[in-house]
Amino acid sequence: MLRRPWFAHDARDGGVAVRIPVLNRWVLRGALEHFRSRLAGGGADLERLFPPAYIDHPGLEDEYQRFMHEELLTSRLAAVDLLRDTIDTKHLSAEQAQAWLQAVNALRLMVGTSLGIDHDGWTPDDLDITDDDDPRLAELQLYGVLQGLLYGLLGAITPEGFHDPDPEVLGFDPYDDDDFDDDDFDDEPEDDDPEDDDPED
C-alpha cells in the first residue's frame, strides 16, 4: 500500500513539511473554532487539559489552579491561534510544529473526554456504535483524524525511534491514499528522500 504521511521531517532546518489533505484541513479548521470557544468558556470536558497537581491536598490544589490555570489557558489559546493561522502552510518551523502538537493534543483530549475515552489501549469498538445516526460517530471520526495528526507530527518531530500507529487503534489508516484524491495533497518537495539512499559502508 502506498503511504504518504501528512508530515515529514525537514532535515535542512529541523522543521516539518506539511501535506495534509484539503478535506482534513477543512475539518480541523471547523473543530478549532469550536474548541477555542469551549476553552474560553470552560467545562467538564476540559478537565484533562488542566490536570490536578495535588490530588490529596485540596488547599494546595486550589492555590495551584489559582496561579497556573490562567497561564495554561493562555498557552493553549496561543497554540490554537497559531494552528488556525498556519493551517494552510506547507512548512512549519520547529517551534510552530511544537505549537501544533500542543493544540492538536489538547483538542484530541477534549474530544476523547466527550467520547468517554479515559484509558490506554482503547479501540473504537469500545464505544459499541451500531447506528449510523449515532451522534458520537462524527466525534469518533474527528478523534481518528486528530490521532493521525498527532502521530504524524510526533513522527516528523522525532523521526528517530518513532513508529507509525496501528490503523486498528486509530480506527482508520491516515496514510491510505485510496481515501483521498491526489489533488487533495500539496505537491511534495523535490528533495531526494534520504531513506532511498543506501548508507556508505
Side-chain angles (χ1 to χ4, degrees):
M1 178 185 297
L2 179 63
R3 298 171 69 84
R4 299 182 66 178
W6 293 349
F7 303 97
H9 180 71
D10 190 338
R12 295 170 299 184
D13 63 358
V16 174
V18 183
R19 298 188 290 258
I20 305 174
V22 172
L23 175 61
N24 293 80
R25 293 179 194 259
W26 180 81
V27 169
L28 183 58
R29 184 180 287 108
L32 283 171
E33 292 302 323
H34 172 69
F35 178 50
R36 199 185 194 291
S37 65
R38 294 291 294 113
L39 265 180
D45 54 353
L46 300 176
E47 290 180 355
R48 294 177 67 188
L49 302 184
F50 306 98
Y54 303 98
I55 298 177
D56 298 327
H57 301 280
L60 291 176
E61 178 60 24
D62 289 344
E63 285 294 304
Y64 173 80
Q65 290 296 337
R66 186 161 64 90
F67 284 107
M68 296 303 300
H69 182 87
E70 192 65 30
E71 181 177 333
L72 288 171
L73 176 61
T74 299
S75 174
R76 296 194 187 285
L77 286 173
V80 169
D81 289 344
L82 187 146
L83 173 51
R84 179 196 60 199
D85 294 342
T86 58
I87 199 168
D88 292 318
T89 190
K90 295 182 180 180
H91 183 274
L92 297 170
S93 68
E95 292 76 15
Q96 289 174 328
Q98 289 291 342
W100 271 49
L101 192 66
Q102 179 184 4
V104 168
N105 189 51
L107 178 54
R108 182 188 66 91
L109 287 173
M110 186 192 77
V111 175
T113 300
S114 178
L115 286 169
I117 300 171
D118 58 2
H119 63 277
D120 293 334
W122 172 90
T123 69
D125 290 339
D126 293 341
L127 293 182
D128 193 27
I129 295 178
T130 59
D131 188 347
D132 290 343
D133 294 328
D134 192 314
R136 296 174 298 169
L137 188 58
E139 281 191 311
L140 177 60
Q141 292 170 334
L142 173 59
Y143 188 82
V145 170
L146 294 169
Q147 285 278 74
L149 289 168
L150 181 66
Y151 281 112
L153 274 168
L154 285 170
I157 293 172
T158 57
E160 299 296 332
F162 185 85
H163 301 285
D164 288 335
D166 185 345
E168 291 296 325
V169 175
L170 290 184
F172 78 115
D173 186 349
Y175 305 129
D176 187 354
D177 278 356
D178 291 340
D179 290 340
F180 308 104
D181 295 330
D182 286 342
D183 291 341
D184 286 343
F185 289 89
D186 294 324
D187 293 336
E188 297 186 24
E190 298 179 357
D191 293 347
D192 292 336
D193 187 346
E195 294 182 359
D196 292 337
D197 298 330
D198 294 330
E200 296 180 2
D201 295 331

